[in-house]
């Protein structure tokens, strides 16, 4: 209790300093003046949308369609004029109130584009860590449901795989490989940290009962509107992720939403409408009915068996001249996509806003009226005081999606295995055709409908105050609320009518709720002494998360129309009713040095505390060091320009951690015995397991050729994750399948990442191309005692985590007609020990190639992944 009081006192002290400084200004306001101007290119054509900002604050505006702008500044201010594709200018204001500015085209914008590094900002030129970035321009050109889908093929080292083509299904994402031994299929323990406008979002997918979305679950990011995203940054190495401590072990994904811009401006409206269509582009080539019948008859002859109506209805009962392309029938439709996004922005010099709404509708390639719809709304509000010392930023977004699908998980396998002469799907009366129980009609699955409704609110409030020109106090707060409700209905129509007297209709309702709040007080300090620059911050994190799940099943409805009305069910069963809480606290700091803008050193550290560990194991420390050397700024490198225009070496080393396990795992828990009157144990206690550790090393070389017309980045990394947090399997005699513990196993991910980009401007013609390629390798490098453990048949030291043990196939025995394998038991019974082949299923290479051509207002863009 004493420690808790101390932390609250520290947080209160930060707040007192913050608001006390606001109420008691330390120095008088600087005189302000109106500044106007016009921005053009070298041909004197106006450039709309140019960013005009003051270097010592966030004050800024944009040029209108005529290239003109106006804002309020003081004589001591400096204007920063920047626009993508043009060189940035820094202009001292002084007593000048009117500017005529001409921008020069610039191939590279390494030093101009601001990159969100989490608790601070940097640029491509000055970053010491590995940070990949995707902009709003790239995201808006892809009509995707999930923002992560927009990252596919655009980032080296970031693997995103769609588990299915069903909208709403959570993709599998890994940043530089799999670190944890935990469940590979669900990606448990390997999830990255999602940060949306400074607010962490629980990245664990929502459980689903629907066959189409049960694999991987429902992604909580679906409720975000991709059109409202300004940028997505992915932090990969130790230098970039260590400041997030235990939460950054598997990488960090920072999502920044769009904001308004300050300065005097008219209200602006924008609208986006898109539509599209999707089909399954490639299907398997299957044999026709004649060949199928011949094959079946030959199989019976080889076995010396006689076809009967029960074992061969395709030969004796079904029309041998009928042919149905079941791939076309079951998933040969066209998925239609429609989206509408509307936005308005405006405001005054000091207060400005951005408001947007969106709608998206997507159907499926399956038969039936199944669809996914999403409604979103977002608001951003910014305010700053007249003396530029106090700033307020509020952002909130709300999303509501509805996913109406069916349990069609077997549709693909059915389409590939069903006989081409199987009966027609419907009778002449339009009812499902069951053909005297001789087959299972695949369209019966369409009656097992599911509907998932998810609503999510994400809000962030940021307050900052400049105590001195070098010292700023900041308070970031956030709140998230997610509610999910899924209902699966299984009517009698799902079954063959001949079975209706033996089966019951049923419904399943699954409800989940997640809510969390976070508060992060910070102090930021920046100063310059000649060529030496210092950028430092210190802060704390206080976070609380609460979640609950509840599922209930109704069995035996008298009428299919009553499905879901639990009052009419013959039996109601509550299968799950849980509530969990998670508390997290941390202190973090960063010190960034640079000398002459060519030598960079970045030090970060964090002390984390998590409620998921026992009282003696709750706290751990993490940190990293990163450095960069811009060789092209050295005098002895000037002779190589303009051929070798930019050269930078950078590297980092550090440690992060992970607490991605269930809550209360260190406690022994009990439940009431059926009927009451007693308790029985449901979980074994283990209060001494601790944090999983991930140590990361990276070396990189960045090159620019021909005045940066061509850029080449090469990175090598090695990540080692140890002290694995997994369930230690127990023998059944203990009454438990496992107990939460640390395994003395080490997983290593190494790899190379290559990025090539070129940019060419010729008048109105513009060409951009980029290529990224990743060569990853995953290995289990240590696992003492694995041969005596329950993992002996799953993993092997020196091999990838994503492997399969296979039998060594040696052909067919001509005497018995049976398959034969090498090294089997003498009795002919195959077991795990007979599997001598190891197949690695890890992708050995992945990447993407993007090409964009622009001529005037005409644009052609394609991406190959």
């Amino acid at each position: 209790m004493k420690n808790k009081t101390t932390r609250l006192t520290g947080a209160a002290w930060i707040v007192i300093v913050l608001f006390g400084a606001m109420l008691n200004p330390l120095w008088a306001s600087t005189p302000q003046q109106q500044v106007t101007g016009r921005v053009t290119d070298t041909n004197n054509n106006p450039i709309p949308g140019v960013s005009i900002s003051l270097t010592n604050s966030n004050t800024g505006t944009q040029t209108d369609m005529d290239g003109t702008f106006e804002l309020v500044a003081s004589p001591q201010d400096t204007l920063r004029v920047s626009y993508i594709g043009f060189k940035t200018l820094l202009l001292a204001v002084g007593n000048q109130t009117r500017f005529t500015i001409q921008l020069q085209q610039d191939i590279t914008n390494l030093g101009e584009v601001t990159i969100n590094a989490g608790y601070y900002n940097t640029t491509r030129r000055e970053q010491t860590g590995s940070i990949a970035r995707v902009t709003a321009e790239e995201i808006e050109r892809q009509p995707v449901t999930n923002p992560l889908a927009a990252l596919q093929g655009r980032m080296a080292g970031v693997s995103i795989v769609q588990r299915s083509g069903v909208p709403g299904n959570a993709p599998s994402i890994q940043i530089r490989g799999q670190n944890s031994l935990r469940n590979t299929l669900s990606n448990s323990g390997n999830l990255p940290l999602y940060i949306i406008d400074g607010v962490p979002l629980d990245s664990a997918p929502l459980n689903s009962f629907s066959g189409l979305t049960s694999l991987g679950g429902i992604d909580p990011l679906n409720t975000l509107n991709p059109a409202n995203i300004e940028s997505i940054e992915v932090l990969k190495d130790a230098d970039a992720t260590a400041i997030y401590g235990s939460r950054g072990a598997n990488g960090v994904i920072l999502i920044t939403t769009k904001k308004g811009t300050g300065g005097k401006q008219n209200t602006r409206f924008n609208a986006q409408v898109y539509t599209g269509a999707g089909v399954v582009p490639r299907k398997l080539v299957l044999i026709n009915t004649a060949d199928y019948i011949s094959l079946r008859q030959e199989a019976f002859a080889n076995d010396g068996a006689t076809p009967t109506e029960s074992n061969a209805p395709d030969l004796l009962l079904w029309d041998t001249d009928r042919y149905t392309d079941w791939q076309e029938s079951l998933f040969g439709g066209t998925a239609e996509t429609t989206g509408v996004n509307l936005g308005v922005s405006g405001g005054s010099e000091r207060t400005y806003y951005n408001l947007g709404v969106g709608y998206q509708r997507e159907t499926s390639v399956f038969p039936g009226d199944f669809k996914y719809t999403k409604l979103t709304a977002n608001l951003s509000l910014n305010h700053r005081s007249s003396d530029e010392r106090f700033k307020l930023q509020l952002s909130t977004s709300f999303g509501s999606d509805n996913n109406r699908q069916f349990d069609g998980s077997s549709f693909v396998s059915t389409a590939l295995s069903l006989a081409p002469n199987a009966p027609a799907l419907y009778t002449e009366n339009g009812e499902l055709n069951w053909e005297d129980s001789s087959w299972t009609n695949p369209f019966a699955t369409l009656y097992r409908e599911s509907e998932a409704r998810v609503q999510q609110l994400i809000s962030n409030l940021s307050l900052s105050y400049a105590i001195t020109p070098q010292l700023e106090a900041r308070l970031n707060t956030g709140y998230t609320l997610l509610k999910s409700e899924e209902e699966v209905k299984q009517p009698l129509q799902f079954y063959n009518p001949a079975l209706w007297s033996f089966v019951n209709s049923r419904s399943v309702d699954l409800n989940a709720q997640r809510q969390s709040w976070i508060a992060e007080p910070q102090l930021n300090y920046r100063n310059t002494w000649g060529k030496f620059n210092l950028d430092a911050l210190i802060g704390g994190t206080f976070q609380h998360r609460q979640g609950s799940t509840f599922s209930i099943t109704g069995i035996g409805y008298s009428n299919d129309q009553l499905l879901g009305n639990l009052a009419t069910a013959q039996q109601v069963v509550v299968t799950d009713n849980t509530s969990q809480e998670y508390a997290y606290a941390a202190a973090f700091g960063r010190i960034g040095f640079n000398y002459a803008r060519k030598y960079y050193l970045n030090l970060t550290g964090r002390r984390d505390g998590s409620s998921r560990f026992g009282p003696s194991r709750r706290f751990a420390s993490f940190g990293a060091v990163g450095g960069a050397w811009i060789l092209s700024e050295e005098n002895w490198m000037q002779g190589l320009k303009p051929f070798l225009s930019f050269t930078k070496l950078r590297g980092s080393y550090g440690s992060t951690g992970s607490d991605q396990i269930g809550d209360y795992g260190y406690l022994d828990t009990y439940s009431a015995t059926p009927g009451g009157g007693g308790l029985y144990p449901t979980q074994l206690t283990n209060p001494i397991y601790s944090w999983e550790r991930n140590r990361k090393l990276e070396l990189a070389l960045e090159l620019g050729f021909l005045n940066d017309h061509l850029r080449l980045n090469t990175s090598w990394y090695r990540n080692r994750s140890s002290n694995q947090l997994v369930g230690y399997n127990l023998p059944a005699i203990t009454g438990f399948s496992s107990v939460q513990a640390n395994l003395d196993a080490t997983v290593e991910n190494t790899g190379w990442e290559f990025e090539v980009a070129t940019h060419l401007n010729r008048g109105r013609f513009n060409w951009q191309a980029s290529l990224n390629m990743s060569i990853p390798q995953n290995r289990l490098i240590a696992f003492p005692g694995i041969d005596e453990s329950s993992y002996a048949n799953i993993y092997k030291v020196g091999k990838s985590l994503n492997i399969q043990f296979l039998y060594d196939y040696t052909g067919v025995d001509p005497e018995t007609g049976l398959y034969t394998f090498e090294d089997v038991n003498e009795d002919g019974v195959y077991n795990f020990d007979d599997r001598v082949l190891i197949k690695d299923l890890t992708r050995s290479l992945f990447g993407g190639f993007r090409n964009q051509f622009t001529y005037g207002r005409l644009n052609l863009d394609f991406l190959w992944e």
Side-chain angles (χ1 to χ4, degrees):
M1 193 67 185
K2 182 178 179 180
N3 291 336
K4 182 177 181 181
T5 302
T6 302
R7 289 196 296 269
L8 289 176
T9 303
W13 181 86
I14 294 294
V15 176
I16 291 172
V17 171
L18 174 67
F19 289 101
M22 286 190 291
L23 296 175
N24 298 281
L26 300 179
W27 21 289
S29 300
T30 306
Q32 304 287 298
Q33 62 190 40
Q34 192 79 11
V35 176
T36 61
R38 186 171 186 265
V39 182
T40 64
D41 59 16
T42 53
N43 296 322
N44 205 35
N45 296 317
I47 307 178
V50 177
S51 175
I52 314 292
S53 62
L54 304 182
T55 57
N56 63 344
S57 71
N58 292 328
T59 303
T61 186
Q62 290 183 341
T63 57
D64 58 20
M65 296 301 296
D66 295 325
T68 61
F69 69 91
E70 61 179 82
L71 79 168
V72 176
S74 66
Q76 290 76 28
D77 283 330
T78 300
L79 296 182
R80 181 188 183 93
V81 185
S82 62
Y83 189 67
I84 295 178
F86 292 84
K87 294 182 179 180
T88 296
L89 295 180
L90 297 177
L91 304 172
V93 175
N95 295 323
Q96 188 173 353
T97 59
R98 175 69 183 176
F99 288 84
T100 300
I101 304 170
Q102 191 174 78
L103 295 183
Q104 303 285 334
Q105 284 190 340
D106 188 8
I107 301 303
T108 178
N109 50 18
L110 291 176
E112 317 308 334
V113 177
T114 300
I115 296 176
N116 181 10
Y119 293 102
Y120 64 99
N121 293 328
T122 184
T123 64
R124 285 282 183 218
R125 182 184 185 276
E126 299 182 348
Q127 71 182 57
T128 56
S130 181
I131 304 175
R133 185 173 190 262
V134 168
T135 63
E137 179 186 23
E138 297 170 283
I139 298 172
E140 289 174 350
R141 289 175 178 161
Q142 301 181 86
V144 295
T145 300
N146 191 306
L148 295 184
L151 307 184
Q152 282 186 287
R154 297 184 183 273
M155 295 181 172
V158 181
S159 172
I160 299 175
V161 178
Q162 298 290 340
R163 290 187 170 96
S164 72
V166 179
N169 198 207
S172 172
I173 176 170
Q174 290 183 356
I175 300 174
R176 291 184 169 177
Q178 178 182 344
N179 296 314
S180 177
L181 291 175
R182 276 163 285 167
N183 195 318
T184 304
L185 182 62
S186 66
N187 218 25
S188 174
N190 294 283
L191 295 170
L193 171 66
Y194 297 154
I195 302 287
I196 303 173
D197 289 333
V199 181
L201 185 69
D202 190 347
S203 55
L206 299 166
N207 291 332
S208 173
F209 284 150
S210 171
L212 290 177
T213 53
S214 59
L215 179 62
I218 301 173
D219 200 320
L221 288 181
N222 288 335
T223 58
L224 296 180
N225 185 359
N228 185 43
I229 295 177
E230 181 65 31
S231 66
I232 300 178
E233 278 90 358
V234 176
L235 315 185
K236 297 184 285 186
D237 71 329
D239 178 73
T241 61
I243 198 168
Y244 286 101
S246 63
R247 301 183 295 173
N250 302 310
V252 182
I253 297 179
L254 305 173
I255 300 178
T256 304
T257 59
K258 293 181 178 179
K259 308 292 188 296
T261 55
K264 186 177 180 180
Q265 57 180 295
N266 296 322
T267 301
R268 297 181 180 179
F269 297 90
N270 65 74
Q272 178 193 45
V273 180
Y274 63 86
T275 185
V279 297
V280 178
R282 184 171 58 184
K283 303 182 180 72
L284 294 182
V285 178
L286 304 178
I287 59 178
N288 57 36
T289 302
D291 291 337
Y292 171 80
I293 295 298
S294 175
L295 183 65
R296 288 280 285 159
Q297 291 173 341
E298 181 180 353
F300 275 99
N302 291 339
D303 280 350
T306 302
T308 65
E309 292 184 356
S310 60
N311 65 14
D314 51 345
L315 299 180
L316 302 179
L317 296 179
W318 301 346
D319 185 355
T320 56
D321 293 328
R322 181 169 48 221
Y323 174 78
T324 302
D325 184 349
W326 290 109
Q327 293 182 101
E328 187 66 27
S329 299
L330 300 186
F331 53 85
T334 300
E336 300 176 353
T337 300
T338 302
V340 179
N341 294 299
L342 304 174
V344 58
S345 62
S348 62
E349 297 273 353
R350 303 300 172 192
T351 304
Y352 42 94
Y353 65 91
N354 182 59
L355 176 65
V357 294
Y359 169 78
Q360 183 178 357
R361 180 182 183 273
E362 184 175 350
T363 62
S364 72
V365 296
F366 303 112
D369 184 23
F370 301 102
K371 59 186 177 182
Y372 172 89
T373 57
K374 176 166 67 175
L375 291 170
T376 60
N378 57 272
L379 170 66
S380 172
L381 179 66
N382 293 68
H383 173 75
R384 57 179 183 265
S385 61
S386 58
D387 59 5
E388 298 295 336
R389 297 173 65 184
F390 171 70
K391 298 181 180 66
L392 178 149
Q393 179 176 297
L394 171 67
S395 63
T396 183
S397 65
F398 175 78
S400 175
D401 64 5
N402 186 296
N403 199 357
R404 185 172 177 270
Q405 301 293 340
F406 66 101
D407 185 10
S409 56
S410 62
F411 252 41
V412 174
S413 60
T414 300
L416 302 180
S417 60
L418 192 60
N421 66 326
L425 292 169
Y426 294 98
T427 65
E428 294 180 356
N429 298 328
E431 299 177 349
L432 285 181
N433 182 15
W434 289 102
E435 194 76 14
D436 298 328
S437 305
S438 62
W439 78 315
T440 299
N441 193 320
F443 266 33
T445 304
L446 299 177
Y447 288 102
R448 191 176 188 269
E449 298 181 357
S450 70
E451 185 173 9
R453 297 175 291 275
V454 180
Q455 296 178 334
Q456 184 164 227
L457 172 70
I458 304 173
S459 297
N460 165 255
L461 175 63
S462 176
L463 305 172
S464 65
Y465 188 79
I467 301 174
T468 71
Q470 295 80 28
L471 182 64
E472 180 187 64
R474 181 185 297 271
L475 177 64
N476 290 326
T477 62
Y479 176 77
T480 65
L481 174 62
L482 180 145
K483 292 184 177 182
S484 170
E485 180 180 356
E486 183 180 37
E487 184 179 30
V488 179
K489 297 179 180 180
Q490 187 168 297
L492 286 177
Q493 290 177 295
F494 174 74
Y495 301 99
N496 188 319
L499 303 176
W500 282 6
S501 59
F502 305 101
V503 297
N504 287 309
S505 58
R506 63 176 57 209
S507 68
V508 181
D509 288 270
L510 175 64
N511 294 273
Q513 179 171 306
R514 299 174 181 174
Q515 61 177 333
S516 69
W517 60 262
I518 187 172
E520 292 188 314
Q522 299 174 44
L523 286 174
N524 297 271
Y525 180 79
R526 299 180 182 88
N527 211 342
T528 300
W529 300 274
K531 294 184 178 181
F532 182 81
N533 300 278
L534 172 66
D535 187 355
L537 69 87
I538 186 173
T541 299
F542 305 94
Q543 183 182 358
H544 182 271
R545 181 189 303 158
Q546 186 174 14
S548 62
T549 60
F550 179 80
S551 62
I552 189 169
T553 302
I555 304 173
Y557 292 90
S558 59
N559 190 304
D560 285 346
Q561 301 299 320
L562 299 175
L563 275 173
N565 184 351
L566 297 175
T568 63
Q570 296 177 7
Q571 183 182 4
V572 176
V573 179
V574 177
T575 56
D576 189 19
N577 184 7
T578 60
S579 179
Q580 294 179 321
E581 291 190 37
Y582 169 68
Y584 173 86
F588 58 88
R590 169 186 176 263
I591 301 177
F593 307 93
N594 83 75
Y595 180 78
R597 295 178 60 83
K598 59 183 177 181
Y599 308 111
Y600 294 86
L601 180 64
N602 192 42
L603 305 173
T604 58
R606 192 175 185 105
R607 177 74 172 172
D608 279 2
S610 171
S611 64
R612 288 175 174 163
F613 300 100
S616 62
R617 296 289 192 272
R618 285 185 175 167
F619 291 90
S621 299
F622 309 96
V625 55
W629 178 19
I630 302 181
L631 284 77
S632 52
E633 294 296 317
E634 300 290 353
N635 293 331
W636 48 271
M637 288 284 292
Q638 302 308 306
L640 297 177
K641 293 183 177 180
F643 173 74
L644 185 58
S645 51
F646 181 78
T647 307
K648 183 173 78 170
L649 285 171
R650 61 176 178 84
S652 65
Y653 179 79
S655 69
T656 56
S658 177
D659 67 346
Q660 287 191 24
I661 54 176
D663 297 310
Y664 318 127
Y666 61 92
L667 296 174
D668 50 346
T669 60
Y670 298 83
S671 292
T673 57
L679 297 174
Y680 68 95
T682 56
Q683 178 177 280
L684 291 178
T685 180
N686 179 15
I688 61 172
Y689 62 81
S690 60
W691 301 77
E692 195 168 288
R693 289 276 181 171
N694 194 323
R695 294 172 174 84
K696 302 181 180 182
L697 172 67
E698 180 182 41
L699 298 173
L701 173 64
E702 301 179 10
L703 301 173
F705 299 92
L706 304 175
N707 287 327
D708 291 339
H709 281 77
L710 176 66
R711 300 198 300 273
L712 171 63
N713 298 335
T714 304
S715 303
W716 174 86
Y717 65 88
R718 187 196 70 193
N719 300 341
R720 287 182 173 177
S721 182
S722 58
N723 212 32
Q724 293 282 324
L725 275 171
V726 297
Y728 185 79
N729 291 339
L730 299 175
I733 194 173
T734 65
F736 296 90
S737 60
S738 66
V739 61
Q740 184 67 59
N742 292 110
L743 282 183
D744 187 20
T746 302
V747 178
E748 180 183 81
N749 286 283
T750 59
W752 289 89
E753 296 175 359
F754 302 96
E755 297 174 299
V756 182
T758 184
H759 190 170
L760 179 64
N761 280 306
R762 288 293 184 269
R764 301 186 67 189
F765 176 77
N766 181 287
W767 172 53
Q768 298 182 61
S770 62
L771 169 69
N772 70 81
M773 183 173 63
S774 304
I775 306 176
Q777 184 180 37
N778 174 270
R779 292 188 307 153
L780 177 64
I781 63 175
F783 197 148
I786 186 175
D787 292 334
E788 290 77 33
S789 73
S790 58
Y791 294 97
N793 297 317
I794 304 175
Y795 304 117
K796 186 176 181 62
V797 175
K799 300 296 183 179
S800 166
L801 299 183
N802 191 20
I803 60 175
Q804 284 188 356
F805 292 87
L806 306 174
Y807 299 103
D808 187 4
Y809 173 66
T810 55
V812 177
D813 188 329
E815 296 183 358
T816 64
L818 300 177
Y819 299 116
T820 60
F821 302 91
E822 187 72 30
D823 298 329
V824 299
N825 292 336
E826 295 181 359
D827 58 3
V829 178
Y830 308 133
N831 59 36
F832 288 120
D833 295 333
D834 299 328
R835 300 182 304 168
V836 296
L837 294 182
I838 297 177
K839 177 66 175 179
D840 188 352
L841 303 181
T842 305
R843 290 198 292 179
S844 58
L845 182 146
F846 65 91
F849 175 62
R850 182 197 177 202
N851 228 337
Q852 180 183 14
F853 300 96
T854 304
Y855 183 80
R857 296 181 179 272
L858 183 65
N859 180 278
L860 174 63
D861 192 327
F862 71 83
L863 174 71
W864 175 77
E865 188 262 344

